[in-house]
Amino acid sequence: MKFEYKQVIAVRLDLKMSKGKTAVQVAHGSLSAYVKTEKYYPEWANSWLKEGQKKITVKIHSEKDITELAAKSQKSDLPFAIINDAGLTQLPPGTTTVIGIGPAPEKYIDKITADLPLL
Amino acid sequence: MKFEYKQVIAVRLDLKMSKGKTAVQVAHGSLSAYVKTEKYYPEWANSWLKEGQKKITVKIHSEKDITELAAKSQKSDLPFAIINDAGLTQLPPGTTTVIGIGPAPEKYIDKITADLPLL
């Protein structure tokens, strides 16, 4: 199967989050970026759902990495969402944990994230 | 902060998925259950987003656990989504990995999932 659309969620490994915590943060980033895409690029959102919502997680290592990915996404007009943890467990309140980008056409999103290693 | 709505994603631990694989499956279950909720109970979906999309992950241990949670959700008229892995990596194609339930009012969803341990 060929995919035209993809969503990428970049996860801060430096926070050493547990498996459950990581999963919830990734889901949060995925959903928030999807809601944003649905608002601004509804065709991307719908096509991605129909294709089976391809999503990948990649590793990053600092808050600065998140800021840089956000700046690149903005420059490329790609929808994104940064997640700040409520801090109820494990992390100080307001810690940025993940950034979700897209769904968006793979050819655009790859320009920003293709060099990041898979989680 | 008080939450009225919650989403629960139950994850099969018997599959021994990696952290990245788990995160993607949970995100997939979260988004698919959200899309279903948005369709049938749009007020639940919107209120949950506004509250900050509280979601938790819980542990289950077999495909039978997923089937049972699906049956209970259906009986309670709660929206849910079962995820079958495409099998591109790690798992045989079609393996059920997670079930996402809701978002739905906590009082309803707790009747089904409150006894499951957190991931």
Side-chain angles (χ1 to χ4, degrees):
Chain A
M1 182 170 178
K2 189 156 168 355
F3 296 101
E4 200 182 333
Y5 296 90
K6 180 167 71 176
Q7 185 184 54
V8 174
I9 303 102
V11 183
R12 279 183 64 183
L13 284 205
D14 57 306
L15 300 175
K16 301 183 194 312
M17 295 181 283
S18 69
K19 196 181 265 196
K21 181 84 179 174
T22 300
V24 164
Q25 296 299 311
V26 167
H28 208 113
S30 170
L31 193 69
S32 298
Y34 167 78
V35 169
K36 212 167 245 188
T37 305
E38 204 187 19
K39 189 172 174 189
Y40 295 108
Y41 302 90
E43 283 177 33
W44 291 3
N46 289 331
S47 301
W48 176 71
L49 282 183
K50 277 184 201 148
E51 281 184 356
Q53 36 169 311
K54 178 179 180 182
K55 60 175 83 66
I56 62 161
T57 50
V58 296
K59 300 177 192 176
I60 52 174
H61 300 281
S62 66
E63 179 161 10
K64 186 162 164 275
D65 288 344
I66 288 189
T67 314
E68 285 177 5
L69 284 172
K72 285 180 187 171
S73 300
Q74 199 147 35
K75 205 174 164 186
S76 303
D77 284 325
L78 296 181
F80 67 93
I82 295 173
I83 303 306
N84 295 293
D85 190 63
L88 302 175
T89 53
Q90 294 185 31
L91 300 173
T95 305
T96 58
T97 54
V98 305
I99 178 172
I101 308 172
E106 288 217 65
K107 57 185 172 183
Y108 300 147
I109 217 164
D110 279 349
K111 283 183 192 166
I112 294 177
T113 63
D115 56 340
L116 297 171
L118 293 176
L119 178 63
Chain B
M1 183 169 177
K2 196 163 163 345
F3 296 101
E4 200 182 334
Y5 296 89
K6 181 166 71 176
Q7 185 183 54
V8 174
I9 303 102
V11 183
R12 279 182 64 184
L13 285 204
D14 57 306
L15 300 175
K16 299 181 195 312
M17 294 181 283
S18 70
K19 195 181 266 196
K21 182 85 180 173
T22 300
V24 164
Q25 297 299 310
V26 166
H28 208 113
S30 170
L31 193 69
S32 297
Y34 167 79
V35 168
K36 214 168 242 185
T37 305
E38 202 187 21
K39 189 172 174 186
Y40 294 108
Y41 302 91
E43 283 176 35
W44 292 4
N46 289 330
S47 301
W48 175 71
L49 283 183
K50 277 183 202 150
E51 281 184 356
Q53 37 168 313
K54 178 179 180 182
K55 58 175 84 69
I56 62 162
T57 49
V58 295
K59 300 177 192 177
I60 52 174
H61 300 282
S62 67
E63 180 161 9
K64 188 162 162 275
D65 288 343
I66 288 189
T67 314
E68 284 177 5
L69 283 171
K72 285 179 187 172
S73 301
Q74 199 146 36
K75 207 175 163 186
S76 303
D77 284 325
L78 295 181
F80 66 94
I82 294 173
I83 303 306
N84 294 292
D85 190 63
L88 302 175
T89 52
Q90 295 185 31
L91 300 171
T95 305
T96 59
T97 54
V98 305
I99 178 172
I101 308 172
E106 287 217 66
K107 57 186 173 185
Y108 301 147
I109 217 164
D110 280 348
K111 284 184 190 165
I112 296 178
T113 62
D115 57 340
L116 297 171
L118 292 177
L119 178 64

